[in-house]
Amino acid sequence: MRIAITYHDAPLSDPPVAAPLGAPELAATARDVHAALAPLHACTLVPVGDSVPAALAAVRALAPDVVFNLCEGAIGRTRFEAHLALGLDMLGIPCCGCDPVTLALCQDKPFVKQFLRQTGVPTPTGFAVAPGCSEEHVLEDIRELLARAAAGRVIVKPAREGGGVGVDAGSVCDDAEAALARARQVWARHHQPALIETFVDGPEYNLALYHAGPRGLLVLPPGQIVFAPTLAPERRVVGWTAKWDTASPEAQASESQIAGGLDPAVHAEIVAVCTRAATLLGMTGYCRFDLRAAEGALQVIDVNANPDLGPGSGFRMALAAAGVPFADFLADLIAARLPAVQLAPAA
């Protein structure tokens, strides 16, 4: 089988984000996927720069049976994650992972949060505010949100970014004026609405799931982000500093691990909430849900379609905990996308 592996090799960061995100890590992940699939298939790495049309032309020239797409953005912006997948879909080229519609929905945080709330999936209360809106009304809405927030804080983040872009300790605010100032910062830096929602100060879990062809949706062991006790509550956020700045206090004091000794009732609730959400969102590839627990209730704080598959990622950790070899996982994703194709070695 001929497999093209696409990944972006240009940094994903809207100025003035402090550091370019994603390119070295995604290139390493692409090489890892290539190493896992190459023994049985004819695999070609296809770097995607600042031109989606050029990348699509390069893929078409290869005439692959399937594309394994690792792009988490396009032309320098994570909010364009769905663009390459949409182009492949329009050209009729099968692509592993979530479909472009699901990718686009999950990239619009206010929309997906509203959808989850309306379908009975627990998620923090919040709203989006766009540049040019009435700041007086925004302040009133934030004060009302703060009054209902159990932790007495809200978190402000870009509405259409991934990879933790625009999220750090300053995103967590305990008064309306500070939250509005942060929203203004999002408008100026990221040129998009800001999402303001209640901050859930509790244990953070995550759950990885994927579709394995005829075996359906498979659930991996839950993970947990363990924050050091010395880390202030407002710094207990897995934003860009925790993900990409290894010298930051957030990165040094946050550890991703498998949730050992999890209460069976909590485990069952995590699985039930996430599988319901994945089904409602039409997840057809692989995904990860981030959740927090507060006052005995779980809430989905983020939905990640096509999350990081790098060697140090939480997804790979969950695969290892489940005893699923990485190559078998990749084969399952291909089989789910090409159910009628025999996964035989390339001629």
Side-chain angles (χ1 to χ4, degrees):
M1 179 181 295
R2 295 184 304 277
I3 302 175
I5 302 165
T6 53
Y7 66 99
H8 60 259
D9 65 348
L12 292 176
S13 61
D14 286 342
V17 174
L21 311 179
E25 293 79 10
L26 264 294
T29 301
R31 292 191 295 269
D32 209 34
V33 171
H34 184 282
L37 293 174
L40 294 178
H41 307 286
C43 299
T44 305
L45 291 169
V46 182
V48 178
D50 287 333
S51 173
V52 171
L56 292 171
V59 171
R60 289 186 76 180
L62 292 170
D65 296 296
V66 68
V67 172
F68 203 100
N69 178 34
L70 294 168
C71 282
E72 293 189 6
I75 57 175
R77 293 168 174 81
T78 61
R79 63 179 178 270
F80 294 156
E81 181 178 11
H83 284 44
L84 183 67
L86 178 59
L88 293 168
D89 190 51
M90 293 176 71
L91 292 171
I93 301 173
C95 181
C96 292
C98 291
D99 66 81
V101 173
T102 301
L103 287 172
L105 290 177
C106 292
Q107 202 68 28
D108 188 333
K109 297 180 188 295
F111 179 88
V112 79
K113 292 298 187 71
Q114 181 180 3
F115 175 79
L116 292 177
R117 281 192 292 271
Q118 290 179 338
T119 52
V121 177
T123 190
T125 303
F127 52 85
V129 290
C133 65
S134 168
E135 295 191 359
E136 181 180 348
H137 290 159
V138 171
L139 281 172
E140 293 176 2
D141 291 341
I142 296 174
R143 292 190 184 106
E144 183 179 343
L145 197 60
L146 282 165
R148 290 184 289 162
R153 298 179 177 89
V154 295
I155 184 168
V156 185
K157 61 185 79 171
R160 299 168 187 151
E161 295 289 353
V165 170
V167 180
D168 55 35
S171 301
V172 181
C173 307
D174 59 6
D175 68 80
E177 288 74 15
L180 177 58
R182 186 70 184 198
R184 292 194 195 105
Q185 189 178 99
V186 170
W187 299 339
R189 290 187 177 184
H190 304 284
H191 314 292
Q192 61 187 276
L195 172 61
I196 305 174
E197 58 186 10
T198 54
F199 178 65
V200 182
D201 184 15
E204 181 163 333
Y205 303 104
N206 54 73
L207 189 72
L209 311 91
Y210 69 99
H211 269 278
R215 291 186 290 154
L217 187 66
L218 299 187
V219 176
L220 297 175
Q224 182 172 6
I225 304 297
V226 178
F227 299 105
T230 54
L231 198 63
E234 67 272 11
R235 290 187 176 272
R236 294 173 192 163
V237 292
V238 188
W240 76 264
T241 45
K243 290 184 177 183
W244 308 104
D245 184 2
T246 56
S248 69
E250 291 89 345
Q252 294 288 322
S254 306
E255 182 183 358
S256 176
Q257 62 184 42
I258 296 300
L262 194 60
D263 184 305
V266 175
H267 187 165
E269 185 180 0
I270 290 173
V271 171
V273 167
C274 295
T275 52
R276 173 173 168 76
T279 301
L280 290 169
L281 288 167
M283 296 287 190
T284 57
Y286 59 101
C287 56
R288 191 193 74 241
F289 289 85
D290 299 333
L291 313 94
R292 284 203 173 188
E295 299 182 338
L298 283 167
Q299 298 192 59
V300 174
I301 60 171
D302 205 3
V303 183
N304 304 275
N306 291 10
D308 180 20
L309 294 179
S313 66
F315 206 106
R316 291 285 286 277
M317 194 181 301
L319 285 171
V324 178
F326 188 52
D328 290 356
F329 160 71
L330 299 176
D332 279 340
L333 291 179
I334 295 171
R337 192 64 185 88
L338 301 174
V341 174
Q342 177 67 36
L343 292 184

